[in-house]
């Protein structure tokens, strides 16, 4: 839950204080626009006006609070432009000049409204007199913002109502604001727990119950149940997993080995990471103020991504053993390949590790604009260590056969393992995406295996635990290939973690989990081509 933040006061930030004209005077005055107004500020000769809140007219908020406006703009961009909230939000915060407190409020409001969309829409269906798809999308987004404040944030109900209606008046119009006011009043009649009890009182389907209670589409609930079982976890962990998806993620930092330092971040309130060397958990705020972040030697990167990148670098080619990051575990002159490098987070970490070990890195990315991001991510690593190739990763195996000692395949996937960081993706993805991505994932893995030399290692990674994107891809590609060997990925992950016992391994592969490891749900398979 968030602190009350913007709008936490009784009247909400930006609402004018109460009070009419001079004590009880009943005369009229002429406003700046030439209209005649009485002592209460109302224009004369106007018919009855429908109220938007219980406040007197002079107390109604008539402008958009900047923090709530940012949240509204983020939801609108996500819905109408297919934008990603984590990319839109920082730009809107800077545009509106929010301070740290209001930026935190806008972040919680944006992400919370997006995460809870399914549950909130089920509640709104009970409070709106028409199907939700018949509402103007902007009105629906404003309603979702209001519902999240009322049911999941420590914002007083009157402030949530007044400020949301004020937002609607400012950016949508007076008519819609009246509808929003009426609907949100119905929503405020119950707490979230009471609404869930009402919605689920006659429901017996466990999948639908979990879908509404935890705001996940039903197909994702089924998919995550299947994923738990496929990776050796009890299916009754599903509620914990769904709850972890809905928890606001802590920002993870990594100092590029041999290049960056966490001192500045730790002095600013970050705490050392508990899972991997050179990591930290940020206390929030504008990380762009840190010089080490600006110059790229310290980066924002989920610790799960850090672990799988370090695992690829730690495996000793030709033996399948692993070597701690502090030792030179590779032969000088090794060539490494990041086959799907955009936007460059893992490439930057691999580049720094390659520099320490006398290796070089080729970062391949098919999309030119993402290849540019990869170059920017690698800028802090000496340029003689790395090169960026813009091209189709499926062609690398044929063009550069047996050229690399180790290859990372961070394959395009549904992203079901990063739902806490990309709250809108759960409502965008469909089961069809699994079928569409499967052939590409297999082709990329085959290309990587063609590109790696005998004795070399390929790391197949996805930010999804779904077996259709993980174990099924690996088993399909390894089938009938006697020259390939599946290594113990769980043991290698343990070797690069600070705890040494992540317990992520299952039948040769490894799966990290938000509810267990507090990371994204990263999957890792390590495959060695026999010499």
């Amino acid at each position: 839950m968030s602190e009350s933040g913007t709008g936490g006061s009784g009247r909400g930030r930006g609402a004018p204080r109460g009070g009419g004209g001079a004590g009880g005077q009943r005369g009229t005055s002429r406003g700046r626009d030439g209209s005649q107004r009485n002592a209460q500020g109302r224009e004369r000769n106007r018919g009855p006006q429908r109220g938007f809140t219980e406040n007197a007219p002079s107390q109604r908020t008539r402008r958009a609070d900047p923090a709530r406006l940012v949240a509204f703009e983020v939801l609108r961009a996500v819905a109408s432009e297919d934008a990603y909230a984590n990319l839109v939000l920082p730009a809107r915060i800077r545009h509106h000049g929010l301070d740290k407190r209001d930026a935190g409020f806008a972040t919680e409001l944006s992400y919370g409204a997006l995460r809870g969309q399914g549950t909130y829409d089920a509640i709104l269906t009970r409070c709106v007199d028409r199907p939700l798809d018949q509402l103007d999308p902007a009105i629906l987004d404003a309603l979702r913002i209001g519902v999240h404040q009322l049911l999941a944030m420590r914002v007083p109900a009157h402030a949530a109502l007044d400020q949301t209606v004020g937002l609607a008046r400012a950016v949508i119009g007076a008519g819609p604001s009246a509808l929003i006011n009426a609907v949100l009043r119905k929503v405020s009649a119950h707490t979230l727990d009471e609404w869930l009890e009402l919605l689920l009182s006659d429901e017996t389907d466990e999948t639908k119950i979990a879908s509404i209670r935890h705001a996940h589409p039903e197909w994702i609930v089924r998919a995550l149940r299947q994923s738990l079982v496929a990776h050796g976890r009890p299916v009754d962990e599903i509620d914990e997993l769904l709850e972890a998806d809905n928890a606001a993620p802590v920002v993870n930092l990594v100092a590029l080995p041999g290049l960056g330092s966490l001192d500045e971040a730790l002095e600013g309130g970050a705490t050392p990471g508990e899972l991997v060397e050179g990591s930290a958990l940020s206390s929030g705020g504008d990380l762009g103020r840190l010089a080490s972040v600006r110059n790229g030697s310290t980066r924002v990167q989920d610790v799960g991504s850090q672990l799988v990148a370090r695992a690829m670098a730690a495996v000793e080619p030709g033996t399948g053993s692993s070597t701690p990051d502090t030792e030179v575990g590779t032969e000088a002159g090794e060539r490494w390949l990041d086959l799907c490098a955009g936007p460059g987070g893992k490439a930057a970490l691999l580049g720094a590790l390659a520099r320490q070990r006398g290796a070089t890195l080729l970062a391949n990315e098919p999309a030119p604009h993402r290849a540019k991001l990869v170059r920017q991510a690698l800028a802090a690593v000496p340029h003689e260590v790395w090169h960026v190739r813009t091209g189709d990763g499926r062609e690398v195996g044929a063009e550069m056969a047996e050229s690399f000692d180790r290859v990372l395949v961070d394959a395009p996937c549904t992203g079901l393992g990063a739902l806490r960081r990309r709250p809108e993706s759960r409502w965008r993805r469909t089961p069809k995406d699994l079928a569409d991505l499967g052939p590409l994932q297999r082709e990329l893995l085959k290309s990587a295996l063609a590109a790696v030399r005998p004795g070399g290692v390929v790391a197949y990674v996805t930010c999804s635990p779904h077996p259709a994107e993980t174990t099924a891809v690996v088993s399909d590609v390894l089938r009938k290939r006697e020259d390939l060997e599946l290594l113990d990925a769980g043991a290698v992950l343990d070797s690069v973690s600070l705890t040494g016992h992540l317990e992520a391994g299952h039948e040769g592969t490894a799966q990290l989990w938000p509810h267990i490891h507090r990371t994204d749900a990263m999957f890792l398979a390590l495959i060695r081509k026999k010499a």
Side-chain angles (χ1 to χ4, degrees), residues 11 75 157 171 239 362 387 395 452 464 516 523:
R11 60 187 179 88
L75 265 64
V171 299
D239 285 330
L362 175 64
H387 177 70
E395 300 172 354
V452 74
S464 169
I516 297 171
F523 169 81

Side-chain angles (χ1 to χ4, degrees), residues 7 9-10 12 68 145-146 149-150 155-166 184:
S9 64
R68 289 173 173 86
I145 287 172
Q149 292 173 77
L150 288 168
V155 178
H158 64 87
L161 282 163
D162 187 56
Q163 293 293 331
T164 306
V165 171
L184 292 182

Side-chain angles (χ1 to χ4, degrees), residues 480-520:
K480 300 179 181 179
R481 289 282 302 264
E482 295 182 357
D483 62 327
L484 302 177
E485 176 186 9
L486 186 65
L487 305 180
D488 188 345
V492 178
L493 275 183
D494 284 345
S495 75
V496 297
S497 74
L498 293 176
T499 66
H501 55 276
L502 293 173
E503 298 181 0
H506 179 66
E507 297 181 352
T509 63
Q511 180 66 58
L512 299 169
W513 297 99
H515 66 297
I516 297 171
H517 305 102
R518 300 297 183 260
T519 69
D520 290 346

Side-chain angles (χ1 to χ4, degrees), residues 127-139:
C127 301
V128 178
D129 60 0
R130 71 197 76 168
L132 296 188
D133 60 9
Q134 293 183 12
L135 288 176
D136 183 286
I139 294 175

